[in-house]
Amino acid sequence: ISISSLLLGTTITISSNHWMMAWTGLEINTLAILPLISKPHHPRAIEAATKYFLVQAAASTLLLFSSTTNALFTGQWDVTQLTHPASCLLLTTAISIKLGLVPFHFWFPEVLQGSSLMTSLLLTTAMKFPPITLLLMTSPSLNHTLLTTMAIASATLGGWAGLNQTQVRKILAFSSISHLGWMTIIITYNPKLTLITFYLYCMMTATAFLTLKTTKILKLSTMMTAWTKIPALSATLMLALLSLAGLPPLTGFLPKWIIIQELTKQEMTPMATIIALLSLLGLFFYLRLAYCATITLPPNSSNYMKQWRTNKPVSTLTATITAMTITLLPFSP
């Protein structure tokens, strides 16, 4: 029921023209993911679900408030006709709380750390889709300067805060925040690029999470000892992480490349330079993850047990999206 409600809520939001329907879809989404977050009977999970619920409820209220204000001043309930400046500001705030853009990012790493790997995957990919579509449909009327500032801040914080983490889910949460920065900086100039970045990001994150789920990795120390389980998968995990970091021969380089090109075309070269340099911060912690995944041999003390190689076959889905995460760059237009 929860999964189908998730799909239903997402579909309602992305196909709606009226603000009320968009809001309803977002509400269905929030209510459907809550049981999935709080499913493990653990204080951390309950705490994560509570935080998520409060934050998303506040964001939904703001979204409703912004659309009703717009309707009051313009008489328009159409999603694309958001023209009143106050409503635009409120909507930007609401969507950035929903997405976890800086300065509204505090809930995101906490919630991810409290939920299981598959729920984290849903939270980082599927739950970002409806807000991003709303941002996409209203992007022509939003404030460019505000969005650019928030994007640069997200890229900065996503890189900086991820440096000191040892929990893999929190690292992936901060990586998500910095990727959202890349998506937001380009949305007012070329919304299609935002979508392409989002799709590729979803694919790469799915690869990372599914691999971590197969090898049951939750923190860096277990990652170091997990290489004996499925060596080939650890190697592809390293490539997938470097793809997330955006290194050239891999898929993750494609969105960054096109975004920097587009920003230069729009005569925003300083912004392109800044955001490109900020992605180096992210590269550091991806490299550390990749290093822990494949290159470190843990100290062989007498009481150290090597983990057995697992007989569980890697799922076809994981194999497919891993291959796509590593090799899609030559298909770029």
Side-chain angles (χ1 to χ4, degrees):
I1 289 176
S2 293
I3 298 281
S4 51
S5 305
L6 263 179
L7 294 170
L8 173 76
T10 309
T11 317
I12 289 177
T13 304
I14 62 179
S15 56
S16 61
N17 282 321
H18 194 286
W19 273 114
M20 276 317 223
M21 285 309 284
W23 172 79
T24 314
L26 287 171
E27 282 299 295
I28 293 175
N29 246 353
T30 304
L31 293 175
I33 194 89
L34 283 173
L36 295 177
I37 301 176
S38 55
K39 193 171 153 236
H41 293 294
H42 191 275
R44 280 306 289 267
I46 309 299
E47 183 193 349
T50 314
K51 280 179 180 169
Y52 186 78
F53 173 71
L54 291 173
V55 169
Q56 298 295 320
S60 292
T61 316
L62 273 178
L63 185 104
L64 204 54
F65 183 45
S66 102
S67 50
T68 37
T69 315
N70 189 57
L72 173 72
F73 283 109
T74 62
Q76 283 280 4
W77 276 105
D78 200 315
V79 171
T80 49
Q81 300 294 324
L82 192 83
T83 46
H84 192 259
S87 329
C88 287
L89 195 65
L90 278 167
L91 179 92
T92 313
T93 313
I95 296 288
S96 49
I97 295 176
K98 279 221 168 273
L99 288 172
L101 273 172
V102 176
F104 310 105
H105 63 280
F106 293 103
W107 62 275
F108 191 50
E110 297 293 324
V111 170
L112 233 63
Q113 185 54 34
S115 36
S116 68
L117 281 171
M118 289 327 277
T119 315
S120 305
L121 173 60
L122 275 178
L123 282 171
T124 41
T125 55
M127 298 304 287
K128 304 271 192 221
F129 191 44
I132 284 219
T133 15
L134 287 179
L135 203 58
L136 201 76
M137 289 193 278
T138 54
S139 59
S141 50
L142 297 180
N143 184 342
H144 299 241
T145 327
L146 179 67
L147 282 175
T148 310
T149 315
M150 287 171 85
I152 296 283
S154 298
T156 314
L157 192 121
W160 237 310
L163 294 181
N164 212 11
Q165 301 293 335
T166 53
Q167 298 286 342
V168 179
R169 279 168 296 184
K170 273 195 176 169
I171 294 181
L172 285 167
F174 286 117
S175 109
S176 174
I177 293 172
S178 62
H179 275 275
L180 280 171
W182 281 88
M183 290 171 216
T184 328
I185 200 165
I186 200 66
I187 197 158
T188 44
Y189 304 105
N190 194 338
K192 286 193 177 119
L193 284 188
T194 300
L195 270 188
I196 225 173
T197 311
F198 180 68
Y199 293 147
L200 290 176
Y201 163 73
C202 284
M203 192 179 67
M204 297 186 291
T205 313
T207 306
F209 272 117
L210 289 169
T211 308
L212 294 174
K213 186 174 184 301
T214 313
T215 47
K216 298 189 176 62
I217 297 173
L218 290 178
K219 50 183 189 289
L220 285 182
S221 54
T222 49
M223 200 172 198
M224 289 183 181
T225 58
W227 65 274
T228 47
K229 283 185 181 175
I230 309 178
L233 196 62
S234 298
T236 49
L237 174 65
M238 179 185 81
L239 287 172
L241 288 165
L242 295 181
S243 181
L244 263 172
L247 288 183
L250 307 163
T251 311
F253 178 59
L254 172 64
K256 295 193 172 178
W257 184 21
I258 311 181
I259 286 176
I260 288 177
Q261 188 185 3
E262 184 66 30
L263 284 174
T264 330
K265 275 186 196 163
Q266 301 288 350
E267 296 180 355
M268 289 180 65
T269 321
M271 292 300 141
T273 314
I274 291 170
I275 203 162
L277 286 172
L278 287 172
S279 71
L280 287 176
L281 287 168
L283 176 64
F284 177 79
F285 61 75
Y286 290 122
L287 272 176
R288 190 172 63 182
L289 276 172
Y291 185 77
C292 288
T294 50
I295 308 167
T296 48
L297 282 177
N300 285 323
S301 57
S302 53
N303 57 3
Y304 167 72
M305 294 278 290
K306 267 202 170 58
Q307 299 203 21
W308 284 92
R309 205 172 270 211
T310 42
N311 289 328
K312 192 171 59 171
V314 182
S315 70
T316 331
L317 172 70
T318 316
T320 318
I321 60 175
T322 307
M324 288 167 73
T325 298
I326 296 166
T327 55
L328 274 191
L329 188 65
F331 292 100
S332 60

